[in-house]
Amino acid sequence: MAEKQQANQANTHITVLLNEAVEFLITDKSGFYVDGTFGRGGHSGSILHGLSDKGCLLSIDKDPEAIAVGDRLFGDDPRFELAKCSFAEMKTLVEKKNKLGEVTGILLDLGVSSPQLDQAERGFSFSHDGPLDMRMDDSAGITASQWVNTAAESEIVRVLKDYGEERFARRMARAILKERELEPIITTLRLAKIIAEAHPAWERGKHPATKAFQAIRIHINDELKDLERVLDDTLDILAVGGRLAIISFHSLEDRRVKRFIQRHVKGDELPAGLPVTEDKLNKRLKSIGKMIKAGKAELDMNPRARSAVMRVAEKIA
């Protein structure tokens, strides 16, 4: 029964920018690749399909349900390995395999999978009532409920502003503190209601708790810290000529990815007028193409792809 449920969950998730990501990523069919966000296996499956018998794929995810899906779908493929951890630990995993500086391509899909969003018990959704959890790995760390019921007002304001770019963070934080005094906030719909009632400017077609739920999820899972760590590590992980493809779903992620690529395409920042040749600027990356967004056909099939942006870079030194 559980296996059947996992199969259904895998099928309900539509992988974003599937063909584009794999097309840009694979430059050597016999290479060694890393999928830092296995999710429900869409990208990993396509990467494996594009590799020869000599190719290898290391996939990573900290969601136990994703690990179960991966073992079921690809566990018998000798080219495939799946690790349960954050992609922030990618460098350590690759180093243990003696592949540091030899990886042909790294893919990061930073979106939350549809089963995570749609399963009420995971606590990510403001549309389905369930326990207020929001952990990618529900066996470790504090839940969103524990955090909203104990965090100081100033911390809640900071998280909603920094990770949700929420204009009304202070109003929402005060409402959360007031309501938790009456009764602990333990369900998603109660938190969504508190936030919605504190939001004075609802937008058409957008739930007023959208940004706040995003912010809390990012905080609970250390998503931006993990992203910054893995970005820095990719320069040590990739081989020269290796590709880095990253799919982001909101501006906080995309800005970090864009700035990282731009910084290493440009090289060292030196005072104007110094007699330094191009080869001395320590340029590490070149950008591959322009940013890529989902086309009309994909958007018609999967509206959740509308915010997806993919950037691709290649290590040159």
Side-chain angles (χ1 to χ4, degrees), residues 216-258:
I216 295 170
R217 188 203 80 219
I218 289 172
H219 174 70
I220 291 297
N221 294 287
D222 279 334
E223 292 177 35
L224 294 181
K225 291 179 182 176
D226 284 359
L227 176 59
E228 288 170 354
R229 178 178 165 187
V230 77
L231 285 174
D232 288 336
D233 286 346
T234 57
L235 294 174
D236 295 326
I237 296 169
L238 285 169
V240 172
R243 294 272 179 96
L244 173 64
I246 303 178
I247 302 171
S248 305
F249 287 81
H250 55 75
S251 59
L252 292 171
E253 296 167 338
D254 186 52
R255 276 201 299 269
R256 283 163 171 77
V257 174
K258 181 180 179 180

Side-chain angles (χ1 to χ4, degrees), residues 14 109 260 263:
I14 303 174
D109 176 351
F260 171 80
R263 183 168 76 249

Side-chain angles (χ1 to χ4, degrees), residues 37-253:
T37 43
F38 178 82
R40 291 304 181 266
H43 285 125
S44 284
S46 285
I47 292 169
L48 287 169
H49 183 74
L51 298 183
S52 71
D53 292 341
K54 295 181 180 179
C56 294
L57 173 64
L58 168 65
S59 291
I60 300 168
D61 209 295
K62 53 185 175 182
D63 181 351
E65 292 186 14
I67 298 299
V69 171
D71 287 340
R72 179 179 59 79
L73 293 177
F74 309 120
D76 293 335
D77 192 326
R79 303 171 301 166
F80 178 72
E81 182 178 340
L82 182 57
K84 181 181 177 295
C85 62
S86 166
F87 58 59
E89 300 173 55
M90 185 186 300
K91 184 176 179 179
T92 299
L93 292 174
V94 172
E95 194 168 20
K96 286 180 179 178
K97 297 179 72 65
N98 295 316
K99 288 288 188 178
L100 209 57
E102 300 179 18
V103 171
T104 318
I106 298 170
L107 174 64
L108 297 174
D109 176 351
L110 304 177
V112 181
S113 69
S114 294
Q116 288 172 327
L117 288 173
D118 296 336
Q119 289 176 324
E121 63 269 23
R122 297 303 303 270
F124 291 100
S125 175
F126 42 71
S127 303
H128 306 290
D129 201 18
L132 187 57
D133 194 313
M134 293 198 193
R135 293 172 297 170
M136 298 292 187
D137 179 356
D138 58 10
S139 67
I142 68 166
T143 66
S145 177
Q146 290 171 319
W147 182 75
V148 299
N149 284 296
T150 59
E153 179 181 331
S154 59
E155 183 183 4
I156 297 174
V157 171
R158 178 188 64 80
V159 167
L160 298 188
K161 278 187 175 180
D162 291 354
Y163 299 154
E165 299 177 309
E166 178 55 72
R167 288 188 297 154
F168 305 106
R170 192 164 300 280
R171 293 176 62 126
M172 293 174 179
R174 288 174 179 167
I176 288 170
L177 263 66
K178 179 181 177 181
E179 289 295 322
R180 80 187 191 189
E181 286 297 314
L182 301 175
E183 184 181 352
I185 303 166
I186 60 173
T187 65
T188 52
L189 286 191
R190 180 158 181 245
L191 178 61
K193 182 174 184 290
I194 292 167
I195 292 170
E197 289 177 350
H199 198 307
W202 291 27
E203 298 176 44
R204 183 184 296 273
K206 186 174 185 179
H207 194 288
T210 300
K211 291 182 178 180
F213 267 59
Q214 169 191 294
I216 295 170
R217 188 203 80 219
I218 289 172
H219 174 70
I220 291 297
N221 294 287
D222 279 334
E223 292 177 35
L224 294 181
K225 291 179 182 176
D226 284 359
L227 176 59
E228 288 170 354
R229 178 178 165 187
V230 77
L231 285 174
D232 288 336
D233 286 346
T234 57
L235 294 174
D236 295 326
I237 296 169
L238 285 169
V240 172
R243 294 272 179 96
L244 173 64
I246 303 178
I247 302 171
S248 305
F249 287 81
H250 55 75
S251 59
L252 292 171
E253 296 167 338

